[in-house]
Amino acid sequence: MLHQWSAQSGQTPREPGHLPESEDLWEQEMEWLRASREPLRSLPYAMMDKRLIRKMREPEGMQMTRWQCWQQKQQTMGQRLGEVARRLAWGFGLWKGALYEIGGLFGSGIRSYFTFLRFLLLLNLLTVLLTASFVLVPLAWLHTQGPGPTLNFTALQCPGSHQAQTYIPRFHNQLWNVLTGRAFNNTYLFYGAYWAGPESSSAYSIRLAYLLCPLACLLLCFCGILRRMMKGFLRRPGLGQDYGVPLSAKVFSSWDFCIHLRDAATIKKHEISNEFKVYLEECRRRQQVQQDTPTQRACRLLSYLRVNLLNACLVAGGISAIFWATKYSQDNKEESLFVVLQYLPPGVISLVNFLGPLLFMFLVQLESYPPSIEVNLILIWCVVLKLASLGMFSFSLGQTMLCIGRNKTSCETYGYNACDYQCWENSVGEELYKLIIFNFLLTVAFAFLVTLPRRLLVERFSGRFWTWLGREEFLVPKNVLDIVAGQTVTWMGLFYCPLLPLFQSIFLFLTFYIKKYTLLRNCRTPPRLFRASSSTFFFQLVLLLGLLLAAVPLGFVVSSTHSSWDCGLFTNYSAPWQVVQELVALRLPLSGQRALQYLSSHAFGLPLLWLLSHILTVCIAQSQANARAIHVLRKQLVWQVQEKWRLVEELSRLLQEPGSSESLIPDSPRFRASHPRFSGPGFWSPGSPGPESPARDPSTRTPPWLSSSYPGSRDSPGPRFRFPSGTEL
Amino acid sequence: MGGSGSRLSKELLAEYQDLTFLTKQEIVQAHRRFSELLPRDKQNVEDSLRERVSFEDILSIPELKANPFKERICKVFSTAPSRDSLSFEDFLDLLSVFSDTATPDIKSHYAFRIFDFDDDGTLDREDLCRLVNCLTGEGEDTQLSASEMKQLIDNILEESDIDRDGTINLSEFQHVISRSPDFVSSFKIVL
């Protein structure tokens, strides 16, 4: 079959001395294909060749045993199920059409923002599902209703004229009640409405479920984010040289095949060109920098330090403003005239996060950083500012309500500020609820009151100012930071406001459509596109930081703060975590309790730590050895190729001696043609270029097999490997 | 055209599902789009499986129209002896390689063949030069100057040519591509 094919296509000329060799190679190839178990669809051949390979693997005459038939059926069914499950996990194909449209118009960088939105929506829905099934459904089933507030406040010595309130005043306006969360005070939205009887050894423990639900949700989200982060990050271990994506990989993967509009393609080409030019510029600058004298280097380092110090001062200023705003708002809580004070902390946070990036950009651009470092630096400071402002907000709440970091007499009796807050968890929940609502309202307001008028005005007028202003740019990092901040607040509020993820899901759902509308109608693409991969990693990293930021206060509250005496589930415990200890004592058998005690003691922790550090040392040593081996192998590869060409030259020199009439010199195309070389299964590659030594510049050679005397080049530039099919023979 | 005349048989669908990475809906959709490119009298099932569509017609579909590599893509997937037309099965092969679920290995294999403009099995300097020109477009302000091009190609070869023979062969290409997490998500065409 192979002989006929080679005669038919005329690609290997009839050199009797050399055909058996090429036949050997073909046979090896076919044997490998026949024996390999790789699925047909992942072999790089045309459809008719794949059919032939399948026929080769299972010749018609062979009867498949029942067992093999059944096995194959199971395999295909398993494959189909796996495909369906994968599609489900990708979000039920939600918004598939919209994402495809956005990808086609703007590329995969901006589309990654919208897939990130979808991912967060799924996380929130999962959280709501968990909370509902473990806490709400049993609660509704058991139908418990707690007594009203019973605390006797006369025993307290409240400073000033603050009288302990026995009821929460409502605003006159119904809308304000909803916006501040007071309308939902006695519903299951907030912590205060939950109640359960004392713990018993057999009934379902609502307390345990309520306590463990936020922790389990955070853990699940952590695993999900980590998995997504690592999925595309490092497919295979790098060469050990650097962790960045090398230029060649960027060049080969720079075209986005999803784009199908001509304008978008032109924009993309501009971008790619810019990227290359910027890269070359940076190379030149790096070379220049390496030739700096020590004084110049010191000057440059000092200027970098100065910029970063200024940015740090800005951040410190911003978060202290947030601190004072929160304190002021909490101290003047009950003055019904100044309803705007209710929204003062969210307002200040948003203002700080709006002005901050602008100032960072201004300061960083004063120095002459290379462009990529500039962008990354601004981004890092924006992230720091955002997370620090949320951290400071929760800290100042903790200070007013739990007297963290200061000594106040009102906190001494009950462990929290019982004079001002009858149910402090509800107050915290309200604050976080207001923050989420405010963020969403701000998004809507910006979309319809800033971006839309801007587009209308720019289209209408054509003055110099309006052309300079232009449409708004859709900045992916800024939008991502906004939703990450919202998600961090949701996670912070899981303990105080268990149904907050439900609100967040609704807001994310609406945000998708609002942002899509803004992008498609009112925005233009930024000149610098975000690469989809680096953005995915960056988004997940910031989300992870937000999750850790939310987990720290939660851990602190659960383990060491006194819950309110008057409301909620943990009224008689010194800290919510006590429930776990009580239940362990009640329900587990003695051996179980001893085992748990051992696991949480030092006698278990220290050996575990020793073992982990041992494993880590072994891994590090192994990876260092691998890096050394790779280095040696590379050198060996280069040496072997050089050696090969040296031998070819030697052979040609020997063959050119008088007495050998055969024209089997390396320059002859027939010599080249009869020694095909493979670079992979079935891929015909006549091999590396010409017989010159690699030291010479290969760009000036003309490959001999492309000359007109080469049989294969008559009509098409190169042969294409194909198995003979029935139609051709 | 409705009716059973324009529908593929179940066995054929199952076979195509086996041999490609496409799902049933994607294959049916591909068949519909391919049939639209054929002349009116040849739009039934038997003819559509036999006929070939010339490059001009294939390149007019919106998914390929704006792609700078469209001619190379058609040439690589064409099985015609003169390599100037695509049959339906070639079209399915194309969509399979560019689909969501295709393995990175097969994508990088075909990417290599697409970028190999002179079909000699390696990416040499001319191939890389043409590749960069395709990527940056034909405009005056986007094209790189000769010195910039040389510097860029020198850097690329420095990084990816492991055996230092002046060209990039398939395994070096696949090795370099594996360092780019972007590749799989951008090497996609969906109808």
Side-chain angles (χ1 to χ4, degrees), chain A residues 151-158 164-166 414 418-419 421-422 566:
Chain A
L151 196 56
N152 190 359
F153 275 93
T154 53
L156 279 178
Q157 298 154 353
C158 287
Q165 311 265 349
T166 46
Y414 291 105
C419 282
Y421 303 100
Q422 195 191 23
D566 227 3

Side-chain angles (χ1 to χ4, degrees), chain A residues 109-149:
Chain A
I110 289 189
R111 191 184 59 194
S112 60
Y113 165 76
F114 290 91
T115 37
F116 186 63
L117 255 182
R118 186 173 67 175
F119 171 67
L120 280 183
L121 179 67
L122 287 176
L123 276 184
N124 280 307
L125 286 177
L126 194 69
T127 311
V128 169
L129 191 68
L130 264 178
T131 314
S133 50
F134 283 105
V135 176
L136 290 178
V137 166
L139 208 56
W141 186 266
L142 295 173
H143 277 302
T144 46
Q145 189 61 40

Side-chain angles (χ1 to χ4, degrees), chain B residues 12 30 50 73 79-80 105 146 157 175:
Chain B
L12 205 55
R50 236 192 352 241
I73 292 176
T79 52
D105 275 339
L157 285 176
H175 189 97

Side-chain angles (χ1 to χ4, degrees), chain B residues 56-101:
Chain B
E56 293 86 47
D57 293 330
I58 282 280
L59 295 180
S60 66
I61 62 174
E63 284 82 3
L64 284 181
K65 214 164 33 172
N67 200 317
F69 299 105
K70 53 190 182 219
E71 290 98 4
R72 281 300 305 162
I73 292 176
C74 290
K75 209 167 212 165
V76 163
F77 285 98
S78 164
T79 52
S82 49
R83 296 179 77 182
D84 62 353
S85 55
L86 283 184
S87 71
F88 176 60
E89 298 192 340
D90 297 337
F91 191 57
L92 278 187
D93 274 328
L94 195 160
L95 291 175
S96 165
V97 168
F98 280 103
S99 76
D100 255 332
T101 41

Side-chain angles (χ1 to χ4, degrees), chain B:
Chain B
M1 285 171 79
S4 56
S6 58
R7 278 215 303 258
L8 297 166
S9 69
K10 252 202 200 92
E11 297 86 32
L12 205 55
L13 269 177
E15 188 187 7
Y16 285 150
Q17 269 187 293
D18 214 13
L19 295 176
T20 64
F21 287 99
L22 303 170
T23 64
K24 211 181 285 195
Q25 296 100 310
E26 287 167 351
I27 297 175
V28 168
Q29 161 90 325
H31 185 247
R32 199 167 46 83
R33 294 290 295 273
F34 190 78
S35 310
E36 283 166 13
L37 296 170
L38 291 170
R40 277 253 103 162
D41 54 339
K42 296 228 185 315
Q43 281 188 0
N44 52 4
V45 179
E46 298 85 36
D47 281 334
S48 64
L49 294 178
R50 236 192 352 241
E51 286 290 313
R52 292 181 166 274
V53 171
S54 72
F55 274 2
E56 293 86 47
D57 293 330
I58 282 280
L59 295 180
S60 66
I61 62 174
E63 284 82 3
L64 284 181
K65 214 164 33 172
N67 200 317
F69 299 105
K70 53 190 182 219
E71 290 98 4
R72 281 300 305 162
I73 292 176
C74 290
K75 209 167 212 165
V76 163
F77 285 98
S78 164
T79 52
S82 49
R83 296 179 77 182
D84 62 353
S85 55
L86 283 184
S87 71
F88 176 60
E89 298 192 340
D90 297 337
F91 191 57
L92 278 187
D93 274 328
L94 195 160
L95 291 175
S96 165
V97 168
F98 280 103
S99 76
D100 255 332
T101 41
T103 58
D105 275 339
I106 200 174
K107 280 189 198 261
S108 55
H109 185 109
Y110 275 95
F112 182 76
R113 285 170 68 174
I114 290 173
F115 293 154
D116 186 11
F117 284 84
D118 49 11
D119 274 327
D120 63 353
T122 56
L123 297 181
D124 51 13
R125 290 193 87 101
E126 281 103 43
D127 289 327
L128 291 174
C129 190
R130 283 167 77 170
L131 171 68
V132 171
N133 278 331
C134 272
L135 288 174
T136 56
E138 299 299 316
E140 281 291 318
D141 47 345
T142 51
Q143 258 194 343
L144 296 182
S145 68
S147 61
E148 285 174 336
M149 181 72 80
K150 180 174 179 313
Q151 190 187 355
L152 191 68
I153 295 184
D154 283 340
N155 282 349
I156 294 176
L157 285 176
E158 167 79 34
E159 276 176 5
S160 34
D161 187 15
I162 301 181
D163 56 8
R164 298 275 171 258
D165 61 354
T167 64
I168 302 176
N169 62 22
L170 178 62
S171 41
E172 287 165 349
F173 181 80
Q174 283 183 321
H175 189 97
V176 151
I177 277 284
S178 70
R179 299 284 304 280
S180 159
D182 251 335
F183 174 70
V184 173
S185 53
S186 65
F187 203 71
K188 247 190 257 195
I189 293 180
V190 176
L191 281 183

Side-chain angles (χ1 to χ4, degrees), chain A residues 218-237:
Chain A
L218 285 181
L219 195 64
L220 268 175
C221 292
F222 180 74
C223 293
I225 296 169
L226 212 58
R227 188 177 150 271
R228 230 173 108 102
M229 202 157 94
M230 290 302 147
K231 200 157 53 163
F233 179 49
L234 282 172
R235 290 199 155 271
R236 284 167 222 180

Side-chain angles (χ1 to χ4, degrees), chain A residues 166-406:
Chain A
T166 46
Y167 68 96
I168 310 288
R170 298 211 169 205
F171 294 107
H172 301 297
N173 197 347
Q174 197 60 17
L175 180 67
W176 276 113
N177 276 333
V178 168
L179 284 179
T180 54
R182 298 238 169 130
F184 302 112
N185 238 328
N186 288 326
T187 61
Y188 282 145
L189 180 61
F190 290 112
Y191 168 92
Y194 291 82
W195 186 87
E199 290 301 326
S200 68
S201 54
S202 56
Y204 183 81
S205 169
I206 294 279
R207 283 196 184 87
L208 192 66
Y210 188 90
L211 184 65
L212 292 184
C213 248
L215 300 175
C217 292
L218 285 181
L219 195 64
L220 268 175
C221 292
F222 180 74
C223 293
I225 296 169
L226 212 58
R227 188 177 150 271
R228 230 173 108 102
M229 202 157 94
M230 290 302 147
K231 200 157 53 163
F233 179 49
L234 282 172
R235 290 199 155 271
R236 284 167 222 180
L239 287 175
Q241 287 171 338
D242 55 350
Y243 287 101
V245 178
L247 168 74
S248 30
K250 270 199 261 212
V251 167
F252 293 135
S253 54
S254 52
W255 185 259
D256 200 346
F257 284 73
C258 310
I259 293 179
H260 55 258
L261 278 189
R262 202 169 285 275
D263 296 332
T266 321
I267 294 177
K268 181 83 182 174
K269 287 181 191 169
H270 273 267
E271 245 171 68
I272 292 179
S273 161
N274 277 340
E275 198 179 329
F276 290 164
K277 291 194 178 145
V278 157
Y279 171 81
L280 292 171
E281 168 79 38
E282 276 184 37
C283 274
R284 254 170 278 159
R285 177 195 281 263
R286 219 175 300 152
Q287 276 176 344
Q288 235 177 2
V289 156
Q290 273 174 353
Q291 296 159 359
D292 268 345
T293 63
T295 23
Q296 281 176 325
R297 213 172 292 168
C299 276
R300 206 176 345 108
L301 279 176
L302 271 179
S303 69
Y304 290 172
L305 203 65
R306 181 179 65 202
V307 157
N308 285 312
L309 271 179
L310 277 175
N311 284 339
C313 292
L314 274 177
V315 169
I319 62 180
S320 41
I322 293 170
F323 177 73
W324 289 116
T326 318
K327 251 175 84 76
Y328 187 71
S329 160
Q330 290 297 322
D331 289 339
N332 298 323
K333 243 169 103 76
E334 304 307 334
E335 301 188 34
S336 49
L337 282 177
F338 299 107
V339 291
V340 72
L341 275 182
Q342 295 291 319
Y343 272 88
L344 188 66
V348 170
I349 292 179
S350 304
L351 190 68
V352 163
N353 282 304
F354 176 73
L355 289 177
L358 294 175
L359 289 171
F360 293 151
M361 236 182 322
F362 174 69
L363 284 174
V364 168
Q365 273 165 359
L366 283 182
E367 309 289 331
S368 57
Y369 279 110
S372 60
I373 295 191
E374 202 178 278
V375 166
N376 289 338
L377 199 62
I378 297 177
L379 213 53
I380 289 174
W381 279 112
C382 289
V383 168
V384 165
L385 181 64
K386 202 106 195 178
L387 295 179
S389 43
L390 285 177
M392 178 51 81
F393 178 64
S394 56
F395 175 74
S396 61
L397 279 181
Q399 207 184 52
T400 23
M401 297 184 193
L402 301 174
C403 308
I404 304 171
R406 65 176 184 181

